[in-house]
Amino acid sequence: MRLKLVPQDTNWDFFKYRYATFGFSVFLMIASLAIWLTVGLNFGIDFRGGTTIRTQSESSVDVGAYRDAIAPLQLGDVSISEVFDPSFDSNHHVAMIRIQAQDGEESASGDTIAKVEAALQSIDDTIRFTQVESVGPKVSGELITTAVLAVAAALAAILFYIWLRFEWQFSVGAVVALFHDVLVTIGIFSLLQIRFDLATIAALLTIIGYSINDTVVIFDRLRENLRKYKTMPLQDVMNLSVNETLSRTLMTSGTTLIALIALLVLGGDVIRGFVFAITWGVVIGTYSSVYVAKNIVLWMGVKRDWSKPTDTTGNQFANIDA
């Protein structure tokens, strides 16, 4: 007996309320942009500049105890993580502490470093600082520029690939859906003031990859059905394609969310922003694959040139290997 997330033959009309769902997506994008511009993002140390301290101790690293010791100093955004290396001795325990740039300073001052060291030595007298490095505003600005270029390059590459693999209408729908996912994710980060750092950029790129995978699967089935049902209206062919891939979509998203929710609850503060971004991205990416990308294609229409041989109908680039 196999577990079935959806019935064997579903016939749900996903595009019955296509104007309402697409309007809701447009509203989400506008609201996200407005929140981003008015509230702003809670940039982490990577984008605001700050100081990175490498500690070494003979006792095990207790991230919670370290954070509790530093909290009374009111240094703002402080990130603490343990460093693991197989080459370390049994009494060699290393941690990385990142402190955001203080007001009017490019990095933490010598007095601040001394206070942090004293606070940590109050809970473990074997702690010593082996390395102290600072990231200034100029480097942080370069990181922001590089991050924006990375996301833009990913979107451009996907636009080009989908255009080759399918038709230009498909590529426009896919990229609009990806832009929707990225913008809404940034909006939720701005609204909730979750720390936005380089790990979040990595999460955004992961979201783009995950979302386009789901979109391409449905697009591929849509292309097959356009050849099979040559006289069926485009909306009906789209509904059929989404229904036929629904079980796969729910299984992939569901199993991914199980792992992500476990990490979100048990993973700790260090990776919480990263995991939250991917979790939100899986949900919004699954939604946008149907209600944004397919709505765009339905609105723009697809050329169905049946004068071509069946294996290349409507798409001269259909046989390019994925």
Side-chain angles (χ1 to χ4, degrees):
M1 182 177 179
R2 295 184 301 171
L3 174 65
K4 294 182 179 179
L5 297 180
V6 295
Q8 184 69 30
D9 297 313
T10 60
N11 190 26
W12 297 336
D13 189 353
F14 288 94
F15 299 97
K16 182 178 181 180
Y17 303 105
R18 63 184 184 275
Y19 296 111
T21 54
F22 190 73
F24 177 67
S25 300
V26 172
F27 167 76
L28 285 179
M29 294 175 68
I30 295 174
S32 298
L33 182 61
I35 293 172
W36 180 13
L37 295 177
T38 56
V39 179
L41 291 169
N42 179 22
F43 286 116
I45 296 169
D46 297 325
F47 295 136
R48 284 191 298 192
T51 300
T52 300
I53 302 172
R54 184 183 178 96
T55 71
Q56 182 174 324
S57 172
E58 297 178 5
S59 304
S60 299
V61 175
D62 187 337
V63 174
Y66 282 24
R67 186 173 288 108
D68 291 340
I70 296 175
L73 300 179
Q74 298 182 344
L75 299 177
D77 183 18
V78 177
S79 173
I80 305 173
S81 59
E82 185 173 2
V83 178
F84 297 95
D85 193 313
S87 64
F88 289 167
D89 296 332
S90 57
N91 63 341
H92 189 179
H93 303 280
V94 176
M96 296 294 292
I97 302 174
R98 294 183 177 183
I99 304 172
Q100 73 174 53
Q102 306 301 299
D103 294 338
E105 300 178 0
E106 289 194 1
S107 59
S109 63
D111 291 341
T112 301
I113 300 298
K115 290 178 181 178
V116 173
E117 186 172 15
L120 292 177
Q121 288 181 344
S122 67
I123 60 172
D124 183 358
D125 57 8
T126 65
I127 288 180
R128 59 188 181 89
F129 289 180
T130 59
Q131 187 177 12
V132 178
E133 296 180 342
S134 297
V135 178
K138 182 178 179 180
V139 175
S140 299
E142 292 174 354
L143 289 176
I144 294 176
T145 302
T146 303
V148 171
L149 291 176
V151 175
L155 292 175
I158 289 171
L159 174 69
F160 181 69
Y161 170 77
I162 300 298
W163 175 71
L164 289 179
R165 182 66 178 171
F166 300 94
E167 291 191 19
W168 68 269
Q169 294 95 331
F170 290 81
S171 64
V172 172
V175 170
V176 170
L178 294 179
F179 183 76
H180 166 274
D181 297 343
V182 171
L183 185 57
V184 173
T185 301
I186 292 176
I188 200 71
F189 265 71
S190 179
L191 177 65
L192 301 179
Q193 286 296 288
I194 302 172
R195 186 171 65 243
F196 193 92
D197 51 22
L198 285 178
T200 309
I201 297 298
L204 289 177
L205 295 174
T206 304
I207 291 170
I208 290 174
Y210 184 93
S211 180
I212 195 62
N213 175 69
D214 194 41
T215 302
V216 166
V217 167
I218 304 177
F219 274 170
D220 200 52
R221 182 59 59 90
L222 172 60
R223 185 176 59 188
E224 293 176 4
N225 286 333
L226 283 172
R227 300 174 190 155
K228 187 176 180 181
Y229 305 99
K230 298 185 178 182
T231 60
M232 182 182 292
L234 180 58
Q235 180 174 332
D236 294 339
V237 179
M238 283 190 168
N239 264 319
L240 177 64
S241 303
V242 176
N243 277 283
E244 288 179 347
T245 56
L246 185 59
S247 179
R248 178 262 176 203
T249 298
L250 293 180
M251 181 64 73
T252 304
S253 300
T255 52
T256 305
L257 285 174
I258 290 174
L260 290 172
I261 291 173
L263 285 173
L264 191 62
V265 175
L266 304 174
D269 182 70
V270 175
I271 64 170
R272 184 160 290 128
F274 173 79
V275 176
F276 175 81
I278 297 181
T279 304
W280 171 259
V282 169
V283 176
I284 201 68
T286 302
Y287 166 85
S288 69
S289 294
V290 176
Y291 292 111
V292 178
K294 308 305 178 294
N295 265 327
I296 291 288
V297 176
L298 181 60
W299 172 63
M300 299 182 71
V302 178
K303 182 180 179 182
R304 301 166 77 171
D305 185 357
W306 308 125
S307 64
K308 296 181 179 181
T310 301
D311 62 342
T312 58
T313 297
N315 179 18
Q316 66 271 39
F317 298 111
N319 292 325
I320 296 177
D321 292 333

